[in-house]
Structure formats: C-alpha cells, structure tokens
Amino acid sequence: MASILLAEDEPVLRMLVLDSLEDEGYEIEVACDGEEAYERIREREYDLIILDYMMPKMTGIEVIERTRELENRKHTKILMLSAKSQQTEQDKVLKAGADDFMSKPFSPLDLIAKVGDMLNG
C-alpha cells in the first residue's frame, strides 16, 4: 500500500482528496499547513507528497525546496495542486522540484488517475 502525505489547508478540499484516495486503498497522512508538512516529511518517507501551492506558515514551493535539500528525500514524488494555473506558475513549481502539477479545480477521478500514474510510472 502506497503512503501519501497530503498538505492542504482548505478543509473541504482536504476531505475530498482524502476520501477519494482512501477509497482507492492508499494510506494518507494529512498536514494542514506547510510547516506541519515539512516536519512530517523530515520524520517519515512517503511514496508521494501532494502539496497545495498556497498554505499558511510555508508555501508549497518552500516545502518542495526544503524537501529536495534533504539527502534521503531528493527522489520522493511530489504533486503540486494549485489554483494558479498559468504556465509561469507551473514552470516555477517544476523548477523547484515538483514532479507534476495539477490545476484546481479538478475532478476526483482525474486526481486518482494522476496519483496512480505517478506511483506506478
């Protein structure tokens, strides 16, 4: 069973993602802000990290940059979720070290497919 860290500060979206992925059999841990996400990443290895772009205490970009500085987390898969869907924002996210980007809003089925591709590809 794949382990996923979900860092999302919006409760409704957090529950949507959590429910969708748990229904697929994934083990999900949740962080409500960037700082909490980074602490969890330092403590445990995940198969996939799903980050919101705009979070309190530390942005998704900052979490990615700090995660990539950790020797044992350089190759952890990271998916960024963001309402900022302009190409320049996507480029910034990928340059920071994310493996993929998904624009909000998205369908749960699209998210499930993206997560499956990232974990199996």
Side-chain angles (χ1 to χ4, degrees), residues 4-55:
I4 298 173
L5 174 64
L6 168 63
E8 171 62 61
D9 63 313
E10 175 58 46
V12 173
L13 187 56
R14 188 171 55 238
M15 287 308 300
L16 172 71
V17 173
L18 183 64
D19 290 346
S20 298
L21 295 178
E22 281 183 336
D23 287 349
E24 295 298 311
Y26 296 113
E27 175 194 333
I28 314 291
E29 285 191 27
V30 175
C32 298
D33 61 56
E35 193 173 273
E36 181 183 358
Y38 182 66
E39 287 305 312
R40 288 180 181 265
I41 291 164
R42 289 179 60 212
E43 293 169 2
R44 179 177 175 200
E45 192 166 342
Y46 296 94
D47 297 304
L48 175 66
I49 299 166
I50 301 174
L51 295 171
D52 181 26
Y53 190 107
M54 298 301 295
M55 292 185 289

Side-chain angles (χ1 to χ4, degrees), residues 45-104:
E45 192 166 342
Y46 296 94
D47 297 304
L48 175 66
I49 299 166
I50 301 174
L51 295 171
D52 181 26
Y53 190 107
M54 298 301 295
M55 292 185 289
K57 299 186 183 176
M58 193 184 300
T59 68
I61 292 277
E62 291 171 314
V63 174
I64 292 170
E65 291 170 344
R66 289 185 182 190
T67 298
R68 294 303 187 213
E69 290 173 358
L70 298 171
E71 189 59 40
N72 56 349
R73 304 292 186 262
K74 290 186 184 295
H75 302 292
T76 302
K77 298 279 187 187
I78 299 176
L79 172 62
M80 178 72 80
L81 305 177
S82 179
K84 295 183 171 198
S85 59
Q86 301 88 347
Q87 188 63 46
T88 55
E89 294 299 326
Q90 291 181 37
D91 292 345
K92 186 191 306 186
V93 166
L94 297 173
K95 185 177 179 187
D99 296 286
D100 212 337
F101 181 94
M102 193 163 197
S103 296
K104 294 179 187 178

